[in-house]
Amino acid sequence: MTAVIEAEGLSKFYGRRRGLENLTLTVAAGEVFGYLGPNGAGKTTTIRLLLDVIRPTRGRIRILGKDPRDHRVRARIGYLPGELSLEGTERAREYLEFLAQVRGSGRSQIPVLAERLEADLSVSMGKLSKGNKQKVGLIQAFMHNPDLLVLDEPTSGLDPLVQQEFLAMVREARNAGRTVLMSSHVLAEVEHVSDRVGVVRGGRLVAVEGVAALREKAIRRVEFHFDAPVPPEAFEGLPGVRDLRVEGTAVRCTIDGRPDALIKAAARFTVVHMVSEEPDLEEIFLAYYSEEEDHAYAGA
Amino acid sequence: MPTLVRKTLRDYRRSLIGWTVGICAFLTLYLSIYPSIAANPDVYGDAALAKYPGALRDLMGGLDDIASGAGYLQTLVYQLFGPLLFIVCAVLLANRAIAVPEGKGTLELTLALPLSRSRIVLERWAAVAVGLLIVTVVSFALVTTMVALVDMNVEVDRVLAAHTGLYLLALLVGTLALAIGAITGRKAVALAASGGVAVASYAIESLAKNVDAISWLRWVSPFRYYADGNPLRLGWPVGDYLILAAAIAVLLFTAVRAFDRRDVGV
């Protein structure tokens, strides 16, 4: 498979402040790549480098086989900025038509996508609600059927139903052989559509994993409530179980990886209630960090 | 017309209408009182105004022969108020080319279009030039009409020469604002620097005639090339206007080069 995005040793410094350091990443054609990290980690810096809005301090980028400086390549890219700013008295429809005209395609998709996302395009740009603004942003990114979609925090401001529709659009794009790079600070937003995710933190890409593998690494907080007090020994020493606290009828712990052993241990008693929190990204980071520290320690 | 020029002009539409109406209202108001001035030469004639010191007269816009049609037009329109209004209009439009949308973040999607950076600067500048031209043409038509109506006795060709100067001067300062915006991306810097240059240049042109120590500054002052030729009385100062046009070209070239090289919106 050919690479749609190739970054090699990519670094960006804003003066002395580090935006991104030594990123090497390849995204293949037809892949949906989730780009994860907390705010300020370097996601937006990476994305703006791909679009040639900012220029790398060091390193090399090829996008759809071209240098991002070649402006013609941008006709084949759909871009949703992380901080989408739409202003003015012009109606959203007129603005989208202007974009279609410059790109030379996509005009016919405007009403189709507007209906799908239930966007009101008769409103002037400056008066769009946050959700509607994001919809206009998505329409302009998808409307010309670009070979590559670069979406920075695409689901922010969308209500859950529209989010579902958006994820369906991403899946359709992938099924049509297009490539998607989407960023998020929440794993849950990208995990259902992404093939791989990259985790960026402090300007460095700390991991690239298949989604399934990342989920296995995720820490999950679990709580069981039983109809009678349970003996602590029944839960001690289970593989992957940490921070175990047994208090009367309740068992609380975090699990690292598969919950299988814990579930089987709990199944021997009568479970009246169970809580399992979705792993959040913060905790995955912690998992990675402790791993990195372990390596550092082992190397010392 | 290229798409981005047309779109930018559409964005400018409201301001352009506002400026055209405002400038025309100003011109109508001031030019319509000319007959009462011409009718009272003992109050407004040269002898009556000679009591003001020369430098003050220069700062006030000449006050030279304001009872004649050409003198009145020069003092009221082309000396101070015309350049002032045109320059402010040009700077505000030019600032909306790069610096303002960059500050608001709306430039991001424009940059993501398959247009080169140079083309974005050139087309945005072209929209400023066309927009300013619209204001110029309409106000020129109004001035020539008023000149005929109130019997000012100034030839249309001379008004055209003076108005052309107005256009070039304003476009020059506007292009300066656009260039500073393209270099720095900061609208406040562009506004302050271009406004500062305009005010300093006007002051130099007004005072340097009487102050030898700074007279050399006139040669780098845009107002010298606008005003020194006195087009209302002497016709087209072709050389001076070519210098203004050349300065515009240099600034535009600088803007294109600078914008092509830098990070946007950081």
Side-chain angles (χ1 to χ4, degrees), chain B residues 84-98:
Chain B
L84 182 75
L85 291 170
F86 271 67
I87 286 173
V88 173
C89 168
V91 166
L92 291 180
L93 289 182
N95 226 3
R96 284 169 64 185
I98 306 285

Side-chain angles (χ1 to χ4, degrees), chain B residues 24 27 31 78 133-149 156 159-160 163:
Chain B
C24 287
L27 291 171
L31 296 185
Y78 295 106
L133 188 63
I134 292 169
V135 177
T136 308
V137 168
V138 174
S139 58
F140 166 73
L142 185 98
V143 170
T144 49
T145 310
M146 289 300 290
V147 162
L149 279 179
V156 173
V159 178
L160 181 61
H163 236 73

Side-chain angles (χ1 to χ4, degrees), chain A residues 7-82:
Chain A
E8 213 183 289
L10 196 61
S11 298
K12 178 65 189 174
F13 287 81
Y14 303 103
R16 292 178 62 190
R17 189 165 60 83
R18 181 177 67 182
L20 191 69
E21 194 161 7
N22 203 17
L23 174 96
T24 297
L25 175 69
T26 305
V27 177
E31 186 176 20
V32 177
F33 189 85
Y35 198 45
L36 289 174
N39 295 329
K43 302 188 299 281
T44 298
T45 295
T46 312
I47 284 172
R48 298 181 89 222
L49 284 167
L50 295 178
L51 269 294
D52 191 44
V53 177
I54 54 176
R55 271 70 187 266
T57 311
R58 275 191 302 278
R60 204 180 66 97
I61 314 170
R62 304 286 289 174
I63 191 154
L64 292 161
K66 300 260 174 20
D67 188 319
R69 291 251 188 156
D70 182 350
H71 61 90
R72 283 164 300 184
V73 76
R74 291 198 288 271
R76 299 168 58 200
I77 304 176
Y79 170 45
L80 177 72

Side-chain angles (χ1 to χ4, degrees), chain B residues 3-14:
Chain B
T3 319
L4 187 59
V5 180
R6 213 165 51 225
K7 146 85 175 153
T8 310
L9 277 171
R10 209 161 65 214
D11 292 343
Y12 287 170
R13 190 173 51 200
R14 286 189 182 198

